[in-house]
Amino acid sequence: MTVHAEISIVPLGRHDTSMSKEVAAAFDAIHKIKNLKTKLTALGTQVEAKNLDSVLQAVEAAHEAAKSAGAKRVISTVRIDERLDKAQTLQDKVKSVKRKLKK
Amino acid sequence: MTVHAEISIVPLGRHDTSMSKEVAAAFDAIHKIKNLKTKLTALGTQVEAKNLDSVLQAVEAAHEAAKSAGAKRVISTVRIDERLDKAQTLQDKVKSVKRKLKK
Amino acid sequence: MTVHAEISIVPLGRHDTSMSKEVAAAFDAIHKIKNLKTKLTALGTQVEAKNLDSVLQAVEAAHEAAKSAGAKRVISTVRIDERLDKAQTLQDKVKSVKRKLKK
Amino acid sequence: MTVHAEISIVPLGRHDTSMSKEVAAAFDAIHKIKNLKTKLTALGTQVEAKNLDSVLQAVEAAHEAAKSAGAKRVISTVRIDERLDKAQTLQDKVKSVKRKLKK
């Protein structure tokens, strides 16, 4: 069993359009959670865990970090892929799609 | 402070394209969580809570219910809106947008 | 065949945390698109269409309206449910789940 | 101006829980669109474009490809980040967050 997720936060209440300070704080907080692999991407932080609970801890850590970095409203989109029938790493998933790409 | 969220689950491993059995099980489980208001919509279950923890409990309950209903893989999309500077109900939010709609 | 979708926009570049002005502008623009039924909810605008193209027009209209309302950056989350094997309204879907809810 | 997006599709109507065949078909179709940079990740295909229209073409291509690969229902989640005030590549965005990570 493996759980993959992507966590994307949008902090509101800043006067400008940048989000990198809050996104960095959120990634930092997620990265500190035990038993969780993390990968920073341009559209969110992707995580790999053994159970759903670790993923939900990461969502909470991301919100807390964004609020500590000054956000007065945090809007997040979380996509979770919980698979019971097969253990896969984030890389396994990319490889399994690449193998099927038309040569 | 109020936290609003929409939880949408997609169960995989069924031979057909229907999801209503698993979605009903997920809504039922979310609906049982204390201090959480729920609203069933065509694209997901919307919830209103006093804190983020209740929302994350709802996400876990939805996944557990879908798995108990037979799903071997559960893919969910969760949108969370955590607001520190104002307490609003789900209806308040709709009303505040309707007031601004061009007459 | 029916296509349902939920369109949620977050405008950035405002000094405060409110979004209702831009959300109202986006709903107004979506609402003007022919052959599209709309429903305003607390977490986004839900639409029902005969084809995917009308839904994508709605996404474009929402972004354009948010930018015209002053947003310098628009982050949106769009969930699309395109079903080939059955025509359903947004209400049909809610009813089919409610029928399966444990009495 | 740059538009980034992540497109994640879930095909329904298969007897098993795998999606890699349809995801590969969708990536292949997106990859063929002119003026669009693509990056396959474990949770979706990330794209970079000069305008929103190219991103919406990619969403359409992904749905068509999944249907051609046999899906009878396609549920997709699309996150779009349209920025007017700055041109950034997908890599620029990751680098700008990494620069702010606590050493």
Side-chain angles (χ1 to χ4, degrees):
Chain A
M1 142 112 151
T2 358
V3 190
H4 295 160
E6 181 153 38
I7 301 165
S8 314
I9 60 154
V10 179
L12 289 178
R14 293 182 56 120
H15 62 286
D16 63 5
T17 61
S18 170
M19 309 195 297
S20 48
K21 185 186 86 173
E22 293 85 351
V23 170
F27 178 81
D28 226 27
I30 293 172
H31 201 60
K32 287 180 178 121
I33 296 175
K34 274 201 215 100
N35 310 321
L36 204 69
K37 283 194 196 129
T38 57
K39 179 173 170 56
L40 180 65
T41 84
L43 276 299
T45 294
Q46 298 188 352
V47 299
E48 179 189 308
K50 291 266 173 296
N51 54 56
L52 182 57
D53 193 52
S54 302
V55 168
L56 299 178
Q57 270 182 54
V59 176
E60 188 149 37
H63 270 246
E64 291 311 313
K67 289 184 287 185
S68 308
K72 296 173 213 117
R73 183 173 186 178
V74 181
I75 297 186
S76 60
T77 300
V78 184
R79 274 192 79 251
I80 302 171
D81 182 355
E82 181 177 22
R83 194 163 187 177
L84 306 183
D85 58 343
K86 197 174 176 183
Q88 270 186 320
T89 66
L90 290 169
Q91 289 76 10
D92 290 341
K93 239 167 143 184
V94 175
K95 280 184 210 146
S96 101
V97 171
K98 282 191 172 169
R99 273 194 303 270
K100 291 185 174 98
L101 281 180
K102 283 180 207 135
K103 296 293 164 272
Chain B
M1 147 111 150
T2 0
V3 190
H4 295 159
E6 182 153 38
I7 301 165
S8 315
I9 61 154
V10 180
L12 288 178
R14 292 180 58 119
H15 62 282
D16 64 5
T17 62
S18 170
M19 310 195 296
S20 48
K21 186 186 86 173
E22 292 84 351
V23 169
F27 178 81
D28 223 26
I30 293 170
H31 200 59
K32 287 179 177 125
I33 296 175
K34 276 199 211 101
N35 310 321
L36 203 69
K37 284 194 194 129
T38 57
K39 180 173 169 56
L40 180 64
T41 85
L43 275 300
T45 294
Q46 298 189 354
V47 298
E48 180 189 310
K50 292 267 173 297
N51 54 55
L52 181 57
D53 192 55
S54 303
V55 168
L56 299 178
Q57 269 183 56
V59 175
E60 186 149 40
H63 270 247
E64 290 311 312
K67 289 185 287 186
S68 306
K72 294 172 213 122
R73 182 175 187 177
V74 181
I75 296 185
S76 60
T77 300
V78 184
R79 275 193 75 252
I80 301 171
D81 181 356
E82 181 177 22
R83 193 163 187 178
L84 305 182
D85 59 344
K86 198 174 177 185
Q88 270 185 321
T89 66
L90 290 169
Q91 289 75 10
D92 291 339
K93 238 165 137 183
V94 175
K95 281 183 209 146
S96 102
V97 172
K98 281 191 171 168
R99 275 194 302 270
K100 291 183 174 104
L101 279 180
K102 282 180 209 135
K103 299 290 163 276
Chain C
M1 144 112 149
T2 358
V3 191
H4 295 159
E6 181 154 38
I7 301 165
S8 315
I9 60 153
V10 179
L12 289 178
R14 291 179 59 118
H15 62 284
D16 65 4
T17 61
S18 170
M19 311 194 297
S20 48
K21 187 185 87 175
E22 293 84 352
V23 170
F27 178 81
D28 222 28
I30 293 171
H31 200 60
K32 287 179 176 125
I33 295 175
K34 276 198 213 104
N35 310 322
L36 204 69
K37 284 193 195 132
T38 57
K39 181 174 169 54
L40 181 65
T41 84
L43 275 301
T45 295
Q46 298 189 352
V47 299
E48 180 189 309
K50 291 266 172 296
N51 54 56
L52 180 59
D53 193 52
S54 303
V55 168
L56 299 178
Q57 271 182 52
V59 175
E60 187 150 39
H63 270 246
E64 291 311 312
K67 289 184 287 185
S68 307
K72 294 173 213 119
R73 183 174 187 177
V74 181
I75 296 186
S76 60
T77 300
V78 184
R79 276 194 75 251
I80 302 171
D81 182 355
E82 182 177 22
R83 194 164 187 176
L84 305 182
D85 58 344
K86 198 174 175 183
Q88 269 186 320
T89 66
L90 290 169
Q91 289 75 11
D92 291 340
K93 238 167 141 181
V94 175
K95 280 182 209 147
S96 99
V97 172
K98 284 191 171 169
R99 276 194 301 272
K100 292 181 173 103
L101 280 181
K102 283 179 208 132
K103 297 291 165 277
Chain D
M1 145 111 150
T2 357
V3 190
H4 295 159
E6 181 153 39
I7 301 165
S8 313
I9 60 153
V10 179
L12 289 178
R14 293 181 56 120
H15 62 283
D16 64 6
T17 62
S18 171
M19 312 194 296
S20 48
K21 186 186 89 174
E22 293 85 352
V23 169
F27 178 81
D28 226 27
I30 294 171
H31 200 59
K32 286 182 177 121
I33 295 174
K34 277 201 212 101
N35 310 319
L36 204 69
K37 283 194 195 132
T38 56
K39 180 174 170 56
L40 180 65
T41 84
L43 276 300
T45 294
Q46 298 188 353
V47 300
E48 180 188 307
K50 291 267 172 295
N51 53 57
L52 181 58
D53 194 51
S54 302
V55 167
L56 299 178
Q57 269 182 53
V59 175
E60 188 149 38
H63 270 247
E64 291 311 312
K67 290 185 285 185
S68 307
K72 294 173 215 116
R73 183 174 187 175
V74 181
I75 297 186
S76 60
T77 300
V78 184
R79 274 193 76 251
I80 302 170
D81 181 355
E82 181 177 23
R83 194 164 187 177
L84 305 183
D85 58 344
K86 199 174 173 183
Q88 270 186 320
T89 66
L90 290 168
Q91 288 76 10
D92 292 340
K93 239 167 143 183
V94 175
K95 281 183 209 146
S96 101
V97 172
K98 284 190 170 168
R99 273 194 302 273
K100 290 182 176 103
L101 282 181
K102 282 183 210 133
K103 297 291 163 274

